[in-house]
Amino acid sequence: EVQLVESGGGLVQPGGSLRLSCAASGFTFNRYGMTWVRQAPGKGLEWVSAISDSGTATYYPDSVQGRFTISRDNSKNTLYLQMTSLRADDTAIYYCAKDLGPRISPWSFDLWGRGTLVTVSS
Amino acid sequence: EIVLTQSPATLSLSPGQRATLSCRASQSVSSYLAWYQQKPGQAPRLLIYDASNRATGIPARFSGSGSGTDFILTISSLEPEDFAVYYCQQRRNWPLTFGQGTRLEIK
């Protein structure tokens, strides 16, 4: 089955750290760019980070640059998001997603996980 | 950063009616725009990529048009399952950005 399954979310104190994982199955993981997108409660979608198929290129918005690190292990078909210096406004559901690939439409996302909830609170 | 502005914020229509949703970019994104549908408690679902290409498995009643700064998502005849929130997303420049969403509700 083609799917993405996130894990690692939970309750963390402000200033703390958390690592999210996204396990991929059913497709050739190392051929696709991957991304993390978050959604604060009752709010819209916010792009958080992206990584190329090989892992050599990474991208971040200013809101998380220097605090979040995206990585991937293509041997384990797994995507990661290391989050540090967490703040209350990082509270959200975090989704991982796969892009359509370089031959079709890189950075358009056709497969999404169900998300994992991160709550930053004391 | 490219800002995407969606309108209207909320659209109230009945099943069978035609829905027209707009997404305007603060600068040209060429045709590098996607549309997603999100239902409560679910992940987003890709509908349209590169302005006018339907994603795999998306019904023909969904269509996208536009280029440059102005884009339209049209649902030709609304089905009950189409009532949801719709987002546009550009991939022309980093950072990737999403619009704020249009809620399509049953009238």
Side-chain angles (χ1 to χ4, degrees):
Chain A
E1 182 182 3
V2 178
Q3 65 177 355
L4 298 169
V5 179
E6 302 94 336
S7 60
L11 176 64
V12 60
Q13 292 188 337
S17 299
L18 208 57
R19 188 176 85 155
L20 305 183
S21 299
C22 170
S25 59
F27 64 96
T28 306
F29 184 67
N30 64 10
R31 292 184 181 176
Y32 297 94
M34 298 292 295
T35 197
W36 290 95
V37 173
R38 69 184 179 185
Q39 187 168 37
K43 302 298 184 182
L45 302 174
E46 180 187 12
W47 172 70
V48 170
S49 60
I51 188 167
S52 63
D53 51 5
S54 63
T56 55
T58 58
Y59 308 90
Y60 305 93
D62 288 347
S63 58
V64 308
Q65 179 77 51
R67 300 190 300 124
F68 290 11
T69 303
I70 189 171
S71 62
R72 63 192 297 162
D73 186 336
N74 285 345
S75 69
K76 295 182 177 179
N77 290 345
T78 302
L79 175 73
Y80 302 100
L81 184 67
Q82 178 69 48
M83 304 185 293
T84 64
S85 303
L86 283 162
R87 312 184 300 224
D89 62 358
D90 293 317
T91 294
I93 296 172
Y94 284 73
Y95 296 101
C96 64
K98 159 197 165 293
D99 83 358
L100 277 168
R103 295 183 181 181
I104 301 177
S105 181
W107 314 122
S108 298
F109 304 107
D110 69 328
L111 179 66
W112 295 67
R114 300 182 69 175
T116 187
L117 177 62
V118 173
T119 303
V120 184
S121 175
S122 55
Chain B
E1 171 175 323
I2 296 175
V3 176
L4 299 178
T5 302
Q6 293 187 239
S7 61
T10 303
L11 184 59
S12 299
L13 294 170
S14 300
Q17 287 191 294
R18 181 184 188 91
T20 303
L21 287 67
S22 173
C23 178
R24 176 164 288 178
S26 59
Q27 62 189 80
S28 177
V29 299
S30 185
S31 294
Y32 300 137
L33 189 104
W35 290 94
Y36 299 86
Q37 176 194 68
Q38 188 179 32
K39 298 179 180 179
Q42 296 185 16
R45 173 194 183 197
L46 178 67
L47 300 175
I48 301 288
Y49 64 93
D50 292 352
S52 62
N53 298 283
R54 267 192 305 277
T56 301
I58 301 303
R61 64 181 182 274
F62 291 90
S63 63
S65 62
S67 66
T69 61
D70 291 294
F71 300 86
I72 297 290
L73 174 70
T74 301
I75 311 172
S76 59
S77 178
L78 286 165
E79 298 288 342
E81 62 267 27
D82 298 337
F83 292 92
V85 179
Y86 292 82
Y87 296 94
C88 55
Q89 175 239 323
Q90 65 82 23
R91 67 177 185 91
R92 176 64 179 85
N93 283 353
W94 300 100
L96 304 181
T97 49
F98 288 90
Q100 83 280 14
T102 289
R103 180 178 304 277
L104 178 57
E105 65 177 25
I106 299 176
K107 187 173 183 180

